[in-house]
Amino acid sequence: MGSSMAEMKTYHCSTGQKRIRIVTAIIACCLMMQSYAVNGTSDDDDRKACLYIVYMGHKPNTETPAAAQHQSLLQQITGSYKRSFNGFAARLTDAEKDKLSGYEGIVSVFPSQIRKLHTTRSWDFLGFPQNVKRATVESDIIIGMLDTGVWPESQSFDDSGYGPPPQKWKGVCQSSSNFTCNNKIIGAKYYHGGRNFSEDEIASPRDSEGHGSHTASTAAGNIVTPASLLGLASGTARGGVPSARIAVYKICWEDGCWDVDILAAFDDAIADGVDIISLSVGSSPQDYFEDTIAIGAFHSMKNGILTSNSAGNEGPSPGSVSNCSPWSLSVGASTIDRKFTTGVRLGNGRTYQGISLNTFAPSKVYPLIYGGDATNTTPGHSIGARYCDPNSLDRNLVQGKIVHCDDVSAGEEQIAAGATGAIMTTTGIEDNAYALLLPVSILTDDEGVTIVEYINSTSDPTAQIFTTHDFVDNSSAYVIYFSSRGPNPITTDILKPDLTAPGVDILAAWSQATTVTGLPGDDRVVPYNIISGTSMSCPHASAAAAYVKSFHPTWSPAAIKSALMTTAHPISVPDVPDAEFGYGSGQINPSRAMDPGLVYDAGEIDYVQMLCGQGYNSTQLRLVTGDQSSCSSTTTNGTAVWDLNYPSFALSSKKPKARVTRVFHRTIKNVGYAPSNYTALVSAEVGFDTIRVEPNVLTFKNIGEKQSFVVTVTAVLGRAMLSGSLVWSDGIHSVRSPIVAFVAPREHN
Ligand SMILES: *[C@@H]1O[C@H](CO)[C@@H](O)[C@H](O)[C@H]1NC(C)=O
Ligand SMILES: *[C@@H]1O[C@H](CO)[C@@H](O)[C@H](O)[C@H]1NC(C)=O
Ligand SMILES: *[C@@H]1O[C@H](CO)[C@@H](O)[C@H](O)[C@H]1NC(C)=O
Ligand SMILES: *[C@@H]1O[C@H](CO)[C@@H](O)[C@H](O)[C@H]1NC(C)=O
Ligand SMILES: *[C@@H]1O[C@H](CO)[C@@H](O)[C@H](O)[C@H]1NC(C)=O
Ligand SMILES: *[C@@H]1O[C@H](CO)[C@@H](O)[C@H](O)[C@H]1NC(C)=O
Ligand SMILES: *[C@@H]1O[C@H](CO)[C@@H](O)[C@H](O)[C@H]1NC(C)=O
Ligand SMILES: *[C@@H]1O[C@H](CO)[C@@H](O)[C@H](O)[C@H]1NC(C)=O
């Protein structure tokens, strides 16, 4: 119990904000442990009862009502899932947990954990202009946002011109005197698993954090002009599918996103009739059937709903990608060509361009002091003044000055000491900008040394910090440093993340119940804010998926995913090798994705075969699928995980320097023109012996026709990943799949 509880989970939000938030998340975990500690027997093991998810697979049949079934298993039920699948949450001691795990009909029993939450220039940057071709049924598309709720009064969610919700909608609006839905936000519900609310939490689907309004408006917000963060990134804010409807499922609170609530929201969203589920939340990788997001996404897939997930912000460490179930879409984060810079000018005339979002008016010329020269020597104060650590600065020395600090913080200590601004330096990589509590520019360590030299060189050092301005970054798009990387730690032979989308310095709607930073001392309440993270890239991909679905309402989740992946294009990955572990198939191109030519389709049976290859047995799979699926009934070839009909090809091997041959079976479906002929174009870098495609011409007489082919890859694996590609081309469509080969990390086998 201890080890799994220690894994923390929160939003996939920006690295800057993450630094600030992570502390609260860990405290919340400890509180959770305490609040579930009950005084029982003297036995140490049984003293603590923890909240567990008891997952029972497929939707219960009507003969045994789920509630009765759940109650018969245990008395203390916290949450019961029965609309779209079967299971419940309950407080269990270790002994109870072990007993339940052995019961027939139970797929898994695992601790409920707390997960993390992982404009608009971005759509134009993707070649997806405001006047792109739209399907008339776009307004029938419903995107389910599992997040921190929504600020319904935002202009991004104004419902002028919208008709009533689509008829298929079966959800509810948990309205109150303070919260009402409209024809844009057609449904909203909050999930809080029977816990008490903290003082600042709103018992309503209303967003008091900002994250949920941001992601919802990125996916499906109205076209709003002008929008900016206090003048920064000024322009038009818009969602990818601005006519689509939004259904809000509030699952994330001050202490993070609880498994019990995530599962309850999936249970409802699937039954409510949403078309796409967008979920910018995650944790460290877990077994598919002990991971509420993978479980929810599996049942979504069974019901024809694609779940789009953030890949996580734990990059660039290898194997850090989360949300890697093959039936969901895992989205990494890449840059757009708009970047922000904040100028600093010293009294000696020297200027620097740092990173930050400084929304304050340009500062005057102020005296400059080094934090290290302003140590508060009163007993009881902390050392670390050079880093401007909490409670370290001497207010008498710092007041009215710009303070130079050898570390990055939100600025609380600088404000407490009366500073008018701060120069902060970092050894880390700061490639996304975030707002702080006072005028700040973040520079490199080397630049910091020259500033301290200047301070040393004069009796009257001064500095001035300018307002942030944006510039065109011609090196974009590239994968951002923090974006989580492959290889896929659960199934190494399936490449993850699947693709990337813009997730850096994104402007979108914000909550009026918080401020730019959400920190004490900030009074900047704004309708639009700029934040970064795979949390921000995920709703871009969710919108692209909704866009494809608006043209092809009958396509399966796998077909939509294939369309997005095979039309994506590779981008650069600075300083980190193994590019595909950063971007998968590449950056999304929604305009092309609506007409992919061919798709790699897959359904539940394909995933079940893949899971057999992964080592699950028929007993477990039957519970999940609710039918008579059996591993032994699948063909020998079908049981290899790499034979899942996936739109990318990954060969992993435990043996370095050995020659490895791998045979991949694929079937591809014509969704373009008929008749048509596609030719295979293979590219492979040195290290691949051969990549053979048989047959290498596919002839389709009809739309919907399927053709199978075999890709045989032989490679000698070295330290670096080998990278190649297969493109099926009919002269109009290029259906591209990456082919990668690499040595699987030992610890993941
Ligand atoms: C458990 O016992 C301790 C010590 O007797 C007591 O302070 C605490 O309130 C009890 N907790 C609960 C949840 O009953
Ligand atoms: C409703 O909103 C008002 C103003 O925003 C706030 O003061 C009040 O506390 C809210 N009530 C509830 C029940 O959330
Ligand atoms: C929740 O609130 C109720 C009523 O105020 C209180 O009795 C209970 O102790 C609280 N539970 C926790 C875990 O704080
Ligand atoms: C600044 O001066 C202090 C002593 O006053 C010295 O220890 C420090 O190394 C100097 N820093 C730089 C960067 O020159
Ligand atoms: C980026 O490209 C634009 C347009 O091609 C050009 O005007 C600008 O100078 C370039 N900027 C940099 C920093 O290279
Ligand atoms: C299937 O796997 C589960 C979990 O590992 C195990 O408890 C069960 O005995 C297995 N069943 C069979 C038939 O092998
Ligand atoms: C299975 O794979 C083998 C070799 O990889 C191939 O010769 C055979 O045709 C495949 N069988 C089916 C049913 O696809
Ligand atoms: C496809 O190839 C066949 C055989 O080469 C040819 O007869 C046919 O005209 C081609 N069809 C199209 C649409 O190019």
Side-chain angles (χ1 to χ4, degrees):
M1 181 186 76
S3 65
S4 44
M5 276 299 189
E7 291 181 47
M8 288 313 303
K9 320 193 165 184
T10 50
Y11 330 93
H12 283 170
C13 204
S14 76
T15 48
Q17 305 201 350
K18 190 175 67 186
R19 206 193 330 268
I20 297 157
R21 286 199 175 113
I22 205 97
V23 178
T24 43
I26 288 163
I27 292 166
C29 179
C30 303
L31 289 178
M32 178 187 72
M33 299 286 292
Q34 281 162 19
S35 66
Y36 286 108
V38 293
N39 295 341
T41 66
S42 57
D43 181 355
D44 249 16
D45 267 1
D46 282 344
R47 276 244 306 278
K48 277 185 186 155
C50 267
L51 190 56
Y52 282 90
I53 307 285
V54 182
Y55 171 53
M56 301 169 71
H58 186 71
K59 193 160 65 179
N61 62 33
T62 44
E63 289 149 36
T64 327
Q69 205 184 0
H70 299 167
Q71 287 293 348
S72 73
L73 283 166
L74 222 82
Q75 296 306 310
Q76 292 280 316
I77 306 287
T78 299
S80 191
Y81 317 114
K82 47 188 182 282
R83 292 184 70 193
S84 305
F85 45 85
N86 195 2
F88 61 91
R91 291 179 205 181
L92 305 174
T93 61
D94 274 5
E96 286 171 327
K97 179 218 148 196
D98 291 343
K99 197 169 153 198
L100 263 187
S101 305
Y103 278 22
E104 196 188 321
I106 289 176
V107 179
S108 51
V109 181
F110 55 95
S112 169
Q113 304 183 16
I114 305 177
R115 291 163 194 272
K116 310 196 260 187
L117 279 179
H118 289 216
T119 338
T120 350
R121 167 80 194 124
S122 49
W123 293 114
D124 289 303
F125 179 67
L126 290 173
F128 192 65
Q130 208 167 305
N131 62 0
V132 72
K133 184 179 168 194
R134 297 278 176 192
T136 50
V137 298
E138 188 178 294
S139 66
D140 287 344
I141 297 284
I142 306 166
I143 304 189
M145 301 295 309
L146 276 58
D147 210 298
T148 64
V150 75
W151 193 263
E153 293 83 9
S154 167
Q155 261 188 287
S156 291
F157 310 122
D158 186 297
D159 72 347
S160 311
Y162 286 82
Q167 291 202 334
K168 65 186 176 192
W169 172 244
K170 292 190 279 291
V172 299
C173 184
Q174 207 169 29
S175 54
S176 62
S177 58
N178 269 18
F179 188 98
T180 48
C181 294
N182 61 21
N183 286 329
K184 177 72 179 175
I185 307 286
I186 58 171
K189 197 172 168 187
Y190 67 89
Y191 300 83
H192 199 258
R195 304 179 303 276
N196 288 345
F197 289 94
S198 83
E199 258 175 51
D200 300 331
E201 285 173 340
I202 309 177
S204 137
R206 182 174 291 286
D207 178 15
S208 54
E209 209 283 344
H211 190 275
S213 304
H214 202 277
T215 53
S217 62
T218 299
N222 290 319
I223 298 164
V224 178
T225 311
S228 74
L229 168 59
L230 299 166
L232 298 182
S234 184
T236 300
R238 63 186 169 99
V241 277
S243 321
R245 318 296 179 112
I246 296 166
V248 171
Y249 302 87
K250 181 174 174 178
I251 51 157
C252 294
W253 304 85
E254 280 190 344
D255 54 0
C257 322
W258 292 56
D259 274 337
V260 273
D261 301 333
I262 292 172
L263 217 40
F266 265 110
D267 194 29
D268 279 342
I270 294 166
D272 288 349
V274 305
D275 291 287
I276 302 288
I277 289 175
S278 187
L279 180 52
S280 294
V281 167
S283 67
S284 49
Q286 289 164 297
D287 180 280
Y288 297 131
F289 293 126
E290 294 189 358
D291 176 348
T292 48
I293 298 178
I295 292 169
F298 187 88
H299 291 280
S300 308
M301 175 276 296
K302 272 172 71 89
N303 287 276
I305 304 161
L306 177 64
T307 300
S308 167
N309 284 132
S310 44
N313 301 334
E314 313 304 323
S317 9
S320 50
V321 60
S322 61
N323 294 326
C324 27
S325 69
W327 44 86
S328 72
L329 184 68
S330 318
V331 187
S334 43
T335 59
I336 57 174
D337 62 354
R338 181 193 59 207
K339 298 284 269 183
F340 296 96
T341 180
T342 305
V344 174
R345 185 160 60 213
L346 304 183
N348 63 4
R350 206 163 157 186
T351 61
Y352 301 82
Q353 294 300 327
I355 301 287
S356 70
L357 294 173
N358 177 24
T359 67
F360 301 98
S363 83
K364 295 185 295 197
V365 175
Y366 286 109
L368 173 65
I369 188 166
Y370 179 42
D373 295 336
T375 301
N376 189 334
T377 51
T378 322
H381 286 261
S382 72
I383 49 172
R386 61 176 289 209
Y387 305 112
C388 302
D389 280 350
N391 202 22
S392 69
L393 295 174
D394 184 341
R395 190 180 168 91
N396 295 325
L397 295 173
V398 172
Q399 189 160 26
K401 296 180 184 157
I402 290 174
V403 59
H404 177 92
C405 312
D406 293 332
D407 196 9
V408 177
S409 67
E412 285 110 324
E413 174 61 9
Q414 290 87 338
I415 292 209
T420 56
I423 298 167
M424 300 182 181
T425 62
T426 176
T427 45
I429 293 186
E430 293 291 345
D431 51 4
N432 65 302
Y434 41 93
L436 300 138
L437 290 170
L438 74 173
V440 171
S441 181
I442 298 174
L443 305 178
T444 65
D445 252 14
D446 289 347
E447 290 170 324
V449 170
T450 67
I451 292 176
V452 178
E453 278 167 4
Y454 161 69
I455 293 172
N456 275 358
S457 73
T458 169
S459 57
D460 181 25
T462 61
Q464 186 174 15
I465 299 171
F466 297 96
T467 304
T468 298
H469 66 270
D470 55 74
F471 67 99
V472 176
D473 177 11
N474 292 337
S475 59
S476 279
Y478 54 89
V479 175
I480 196 78
Y481 191 75
F482 63 68
S483 188
S484 287
R485 311 299 161 111
N488 179 337
I490 310 287
T491 310
T492 45
D493 289 313
I494 291 177
L495 181 64
K496 289 280 176 172
D498 292 307
L499 40 70
T500 70
V504 181
D505 302 340
I506 304 297
L507 178 82
W510 203 241
S511 163
Q512 303 293 284
T514 184
T515 58
V516 172
T517 61
L519 294 171
D522 195 345
D523 57 6
R524 293 168 294 175
V525 174
V526 293
Y528 289 86
N529 199 2
I530 299 172
I531 55 173
S532 301
T534 52
S535 276
M536 282 64 247
S537 59
C538 168
H540 279 91
S542 311
Y547 181 69
V548 172
K549 190 159 189 184
S550 73
F551 288 95
H552 309 288
T554 60
W555 281 13
S556 70
I560 294 172
K561 195 172 139 171
S562 172
L564 295 174
M565 288 171 66
T566 60
T567 55
H569 60 91
I571 54 178
S572 65
V573 181
D575 307 326
V576 184
D578 302 349
E580 281 84 356
F581 287 154
Y583 57 65
S585 294
Q587 177 169 271
I588 56 166
N589 186 338
S591 313
R592 279 191 59 207
M594 66 157 280
D595 180 22
L598 304 173
V599 292
Y600 294 83
D601 208 350
E604 185 183 349
I605 180 70
D606 302 285
Y607 298 114
V608 166
Q609 289 184 12
M610 173 263 163
L611 289 167
C612 293
Q614 180 88 26
Y616 293 89
N617 61 37
S618 304
T619 319
Q620 291 165 298
L621 290 171
R622 280 179 192 170
L623 291 171
V624 175
T625 60
D627 59 26
Q628 290 303 303
S629 306
S630 150
C631 285
S632 55
S633 72
T634 62
T635 67
T636 313
N637 292 341
T639 58
V641 292
W642 56 80
D643 272 335
L644 176 64
N645 203 34
Y646 215 70
S648 60
F649 299 81
L651 186 174
S652 75
S653 167
K654 286 171 205 165
K655 283 179 249 154
K657 294 192 183 139
R659 173 169 279 102
V660 184
T661 295
R662 173 74 41 87
V663 181
F664 299 89
H665 295 84
R666 291 291 187 273
T667 298
I668 201 160
K669 182 159 108 183
N670 182 24
V671 294
Y673 305 119
S676 61
N677 295 338
Y678 281 82
T679 308
L681 309 168
V682 167
S683 77
E685 68 182 25
V686 177
F688 281 113
D689 279 7
T690 54
I691 298 180
R692 214 168 54 238
V693 181
E694 290 170 305
N696 63 8
V697 174
L698 298 177
T699 300
F700 296 93
K701 293 192 188 66
N702 301 304
I703 303 287
E705 185 180 335
K706 293 178 179 175
Q707 295 286 348
S708 294
F709 62 94
V710 176
V711 178
T712 309
V713 177
T714 304
V716 179
L717 302 179
R719 193 170 296 161
M721 165 200 269
L722 299 176
S723 163
S725 66
L726 163 63
V727 175
W728 286 107
S729 173
D730 65 348
I732 299 157
H733 304 97
S734 292
V735 188
R736 185 183 183 281
S737 294
I739 301 174
V740 297
F742 56 93
V743 176
R746 207 165 278 281
E747 62 271 24
H748 296 307
N749 284 291

